[in-house]
Amino acid sequence: MSSLAAQVAEHPRFHLLPQTHQLKALMTIIRDKNTKRSDFVFYSDRVIRLLVEEGLNYLPVVEKEVTTPMGVPFKGVSFQGRICGVSIMRAGESMEQGLRDVCTSVRIGKVLIQRDERTATPTLYYSKLPKDIADRWVLLLDPMLATGGSAIKCAEVLKEAGVKEDRILFINLICSPEGALHMLEKFPGLQIISAEVDEGMDHRKYILPGLGDFGDRYFGTED
């Protein structure tokens, strides 16, 4: 791990999935250029579910007492507040089902932000969010974080809609250390949950070693 990647991994608002053998095996499969699409989708979905479940660990809870079928009281907890998902189209849409699998009937907003491949500048084209999003905790979904431009633009859209920074949890599979640090510095309250931190980016602003274009591989639109 590079020194910059190590700096990201140690950041208090950056949460890396436990680096288990299972996770490493899953990530190896989806990084392999020879993995067929059906396997890429299946194993990506497994990682996405792990990420969503980890993200829920950072939501606030309140104490709650229930009675078990044995007639005995049990002191547990209940989530405080409501959540919603917001996917950054198109690749972020691949993470929606993983969120639905864990949170039934969850509301999901969508934001379309496209990056100019020459300048790497993000442009907002479309935004459709739940009307009460300002009162919810937001799981922001995008599998890859390179420069951070698109994710930062989306976080700005959320803030304009009334969402507080400390209610935004950005969930992604792979990030560059530059993009992660940029986003954490831009939004002092936001948290990031990721599966792995890569070494950096190439001259085209693609993550290295990365896994290629996630959206193309997931949705089968590769050239």
Side-chain angles (χ1 to χ4, degrees), residues 107-156:
R107 296 184 182 184
I108 297 179
K110 294 179 183 286
V111 177
L112 175 59
I113 297 171
Q114 292 188 339
R115 185 180 77 166
D116 186 301
E117 295 301 331
R118 183 176 59 84
T119 65
T121 302
T123 301
L124 173 66
Y125 285 94
Y126 173 81
S127 174
K128 185 66 173 179
L129 306 172
K131 293 181 179 179
D132 61 350
I133 194 169
D135 300 321
R136 294 176 178 269
W137 291 78
V138 178
L139 275 64
L140 180 58
L141 310 172
D142 198 15
M144 307 293 284
L145 175 63
T147 64
S150 296
I152 287 173
K153 185 69 174 179
C154 190
E156 290 172 348

Side-chain angles (χ1 to χ4, degrees), residues 84-205:
C84 73
V86 172
S87 62
I88 302 178
M89 301 164 66
R90 167 185 64 146
E93 293 176 303
S94 65
M95 305 177 73
E96 293 177 5
Q97 188 58 51
L99 177 57
R100 291 191 182 99
D101 288 343
V102 176
C103 304
T104 59
S105 303
V106 65
R107 296 184 182 184
I108 297 179
K110 294 179 183 286
V111 177
L112 175 59
I113 297 171
Q114 292 188 339
R115 185 180 77 166
D116 186 301
E117 295 301 331
R118 183 176 59 84
T119 65
T121 302
T123 301
L124 173 66
Y125 285 94
Y126 173 81
S127 174
K128 185 66 173 179
L129 306 172
K131 293 181 179 179
D132 61 350
I133 194 169
D135 300 321
R136 294 176 178 269
W137 291 78
V138 178
L139 275 64
L140 180 58
L141 310 172
D142 198 15
M144 307 293 284
L145 175 63
T147 64
S150 296
I152 287 173
K153 185 69 174 179
C154 190
E156 290 172 348
V157 171
L158 294 176
K159 288 189 65 177
E160 289 171 4
V163 181
K164 296 179 181 178
E165 281 185 18
D166 60 3
R167 289 194 170 200
I168 301 174
L169 302 172
F170 178 56
I171 297 178
N172 81 301
L173 276 79
I174 297 174
C175 65
S176 75
E178 298 92 338
L181 286 175
H182 188 193
M183 196 167 188
L184 291 167
E185 291 169 359
K186 181 75 174 179
F187 304 106
L190 176 145
Q191 299 186 72
I192 298 176
I193 296 93
S194 186
E196 289 189 334
V197 184
D198 272 9
E199 294 300 309
M201 296 181 287
D202 65 11
H203 67 282
R204 298 174 300 170
K205 306 299 183 183

